[in-house]
Amino acid sequence: MKYKSTRNAQVITSFENAICSGYAPDGGLFVPQTLPSLSSFQIKEWSLLSFPELSYEVLRLFIATEEITNADLRVIVNKAFGEGSFVDGVVNVRRVSSSNDNDNEKKKEKANRNENVFVSELFGGPTFCFKDIGMRLVVNILSHFSSSTPTTLLVATTGDTGPAAVRAVSDAQNPNLSILVHYPKGQISDFQRKQLTTVCSDSVEVVTFEGGGDDMDLPIKNILASSSSSSFEVVESKKKTTSRRRRLCGVNSYNIGRPLAQMIHFIWTYLRVVEQIGVEPSNPDITIDIVIPTGAMGNIAGGYMAKQMGLPINYLCAGVNVNDITHRVLETGKFYRSNEMIKTMSDAINVQMPYNFERLLFYLTGQNHGLVNGWMKTVDSTNKLDLDKTWHEKLRQEFRSARITDEEMCNAMKRARDELSFFADPH
């Protein structure tokens, strides 16, 4: 499996180069040269697997054995999801049901309304956020590739990505792998700030910056673009001082490893839902809608790629806070960066310019590199894009969205607790 840029079909590289680069050299995002199709038989077979086993099978579709052998890939997966890494398994999918209403009629009405509503709980990892699932796979893959080339990971975070990446790097215990994390001062939760700043590891550096959560994206992109041929570290010893190449790699969700790894929990969630409703996996008449807290769109991109491969998904629904560019583009076709980042209770999805919108457009257009290239050049130069009516309607055929204020979020959490005995993670 080779990888290409969303902006130019002629920019082709290996999986190692794609995942160890972050961005494509033309400024686009890497995608698989072809998306494999999932057969009904394959989906049925996968329904019998554990989460680590499913992870191996999905990743095997995207990584050539010449780059990572079967044995090494199993080691990578086992390290990511090894004993003690996750509480109660990796992903628990459970049906939401009413249980706290003494009025039988009301209880029956609520139960009917929620009969086919399920929650995929992705917070069982060591930092209690869904990023643990994908990040531990990505970091262990990068650790595998850094055995010969020392690698430093660059991360900008508004909450989830940084702690998950730091913990994964610390757990990898690879002296050739280090990480530099940037977070906006005063704009991540106190809990996640402590997760970042209390790690005792020589492989981890954490710094703050003034500004919004997206403000480090362009500097990191420029660093990665300029470092491909000039990044070295100085190594000192008693006998001599030498220099050796050090690779810089971005691991926010523009990195292709992230949506590939996050695709797995969409497949797992689908399989567990159809299992619970008693339907045979891959039945084309039964599709599911999936609602996703959405920031940079890396998670929803993984879900859309799975849908493109044949997973029976209907709508992918983005839930956003008042930093609502994703909701605005889905409602109006206008992809406009807002002038400021608004502080919210859901810091981790405070995003003004979600880079994975480029991947969504790429697959929405049937992999039209020229059209995506033109659109993204407009975004890069103006921070704006107007989709015409045709493309906006096509976008609406695949996606839905909702804009949720802090007050609405808290009220929904209270209703879930009171009516369903369900304690929701506000992300």
Side-chain angles (χ1 to χ4, degrees):
M1 174 70 76
K2 297 293 185 182
Y3 288 77
K4 61 183 178 180
S5 170
T6 49
R7 304 186 187 186
N8 186 345
Q10 303 307 311
V11 177
I12 298 173
T13 192
S14 64
F15 174 73
E16 178 179 359
N17 284 338
I19 196 170
C20 292
S21 301
Y23 288 99
D26 61 353
L29 304 184
F30 281 118
V31 290
Q33 198 166 24
T34 58
L35 275 180
S37 296
L38 301 180
S39 68
S40 297
F41 175 79
Q42 197 170 28
I43 294 175
K44 291 175 186 176
E45 288 288 298
W46 283 356
S47 67
L48 305 175
L49 303 179
S50 67
F51 194 93
E53 290 168 340
L54 177 64
S55 300
Y56 171 85
E57 295 296 335
V58 173
L59 291 176
R60 187 73 287 168
L61 298 176
F62 295 98
I63 307 171
T65 54
E66 293 82 5
E67 296 198 70
I68 300 180
T69 66
N70 289 337
D72 285 342
L73 185 56
R74 291 192 188 280
V75 169
I76 287 167
V77 170
N78 289 337
K79 283 183 177 179
F81 303 119
E83 185 176 351
S85 298
F86 286 79
V87 177
D88 297 328
V90 181
V91 176
N92 179 36
V93 179
R94 63 188 182 99
R95 190 191 298 263
V96 175
S97 60
S98 302
S99 61
N100 266 3
D101 202 313
N102 294 324
D103 186 318
N104 287 333
E105 287 302 315
K106 286 185 178 180
K107 186 173 181 179
K108 184 177 180 181
E109 179 185 343
K110 291 171 186 174
N112 289 337
R113 188 170 66 233
N114 295 305
E115 180 181 3
N116 287 321
V117 176
F118 297 79
V119 174
S120 188
E121 297 179 334
L122 307 176
F123 48 73
T127 69
F128 313 108
C129 75
F130 88 95
K131 297 284 177 67
D132 285 320
I133 300 171
M135 189 63 79
R136 292 181 74 82
L137 283 170
V138 170
V139 166
N140 277 284
I141 291 171
L142 292 169
S143 180
H144 172 81
F145 285 133
S146 67
S147 58
S148 58
T149 304
T151 302
T152 295
L153 311 183
L154 302 181
V155 176
T157 186
T158 52
D160 286 356
T161 301
V166 163
R167 179 61 182 267
V169 170
S170 298
D171 288 351
Q173 296 184 337
N174 182 343
N176 277 349
L177 187 68
S178 60
I179 187 169
L180 174 60
V181 181
H182 313 74
Y183 72 89
K185 185 177 180 180
Q187 294 196 39
I188 68 172
S189 70
D190 193 49
F191 175 70
Q192 289 180 318
R193 178 188 61 78
K194 290 176 181 177
Q195 285 183 312
L196 284 174
T197 57
T198 58
V199 173
C200 296
S201 172
D202 293 336
S203 300
V204 176
E205 294 288 346
V206 179
V207 297
T208 61
F209 64 91
E210 301 284 348
D214 289 355
D215 289 348
M216 277 303 297
D217 290 344
L218 184 58
I220 288 178
K221 187 173 185 178
N222 291 337
I223 289 170
L224 295 173
S226 64
S227 69
S228 58
S229 61
S230 60
S231 183
F232 291 84
E233 66 171 342
V234 175
V235 181
E236 296 184 0
S237 68
K238 292 182 179 180
K239 294 183 178 180
K240 61 179 180 178
T241 299
T242 61
S243 65
R244 60 177 176 174
R245 183 72 178 274
R246 171 165 287 275
R247 179 165 51 196
L248 300 180
C249 172
V251 289
N252 284 90
S253 61
Y254 48 77
N255 187 305
I256 183 57
R258 291 281 303 281
L260 291 183
Q262 290 165 185
M263 177 192 300
I264 299 163
H265 62 246
F266 283 91
I267 299 171
W268 175 265
T269 296
Y270 165 79
L271 292 171
R272 300 289 75 80
V273 168
V274 296
E275 178 181 68
Q276 292 186 50
I277 64 177
V279 174
E280 187 176 60
S282 79
N283 184 333
D285 296 326
I286 304 295
T287 60
I288 64 173
D289 297 328
I290 301 182
V291 181
I292 309 150
T294 300
M297 289 189 172
N299 205 19
I300 205 168
Y304 193 42
M305 291 168 71
K307 179 180 179 178
Q308 294 279 308
M309 292 164 62
L311 192 69
I313 295 174
N314 184 29
Y315 287 120
L316 289 161
C317 310
V320 303
N321 58 30
V322 294
N323 298 294
D324 60 354
I325 183 171
T326 296
H327 177 62
R328 284 184 280 117
V329 71
L330 291 175
E331 287 295 304
T332 68
K334 296 182 181 297
F335 187 68
Y336 286 22
R337 179 183 173 122
S338 57
N339 292 327
E340 63 175 342
M341 179 80 75
I342 301 171
K343 173 72 173 173
T344 72
M345 295 176 69
S346 50
D347 301 279
I349 54 174
N350 285 347
V351 172
Q352 292 169 280
M353 186 62 68
Y355 19 68
N356 276 282
F357 188 53
E358 181 167 346
R359 283 194 177 105
L360 267 57
L361 291 177
F362 179 73
Y363 288 113
L364 185 76
T365 61
Q367 305 190 28
N368 188 324
H369 297 270
L371 188 55
V372 171
N373 184 44
W375 280 341
M376 297 319 297
K377 283 185 175 179
T378 298
V379 172
D380 289 344
S381 60
T382 67
N383 286 323
K384 293 181 180 180
L385 176 66
D386 290 284
L387 295 176
D388 64 29
K389 182 179 179 181
T390 298
W391 287 114
H392 180 224
E393 288 177 353
K394 287 181 180 293
L395 192 66
R396 292 281 298 170
Q397 290 169 12
E398 303 283 345
F399 302 96
R400 289 289 188 267
S401 66
R403 178 187 186 272
I404 308 299
T405 65
D406 283 350
E407 182 179 6
E408 289 170 327
M409 179 184 69
C410 291
N411 288 337
M413 291 175 66
K414 185 176 185 300
R415 288 199 311 274
R417 183 200 62 188
D418 294 345
E419 298 178 8
L420 307 172
S421 296
F422 176 73
F423 291 82
D425 174 8
H427 203 68

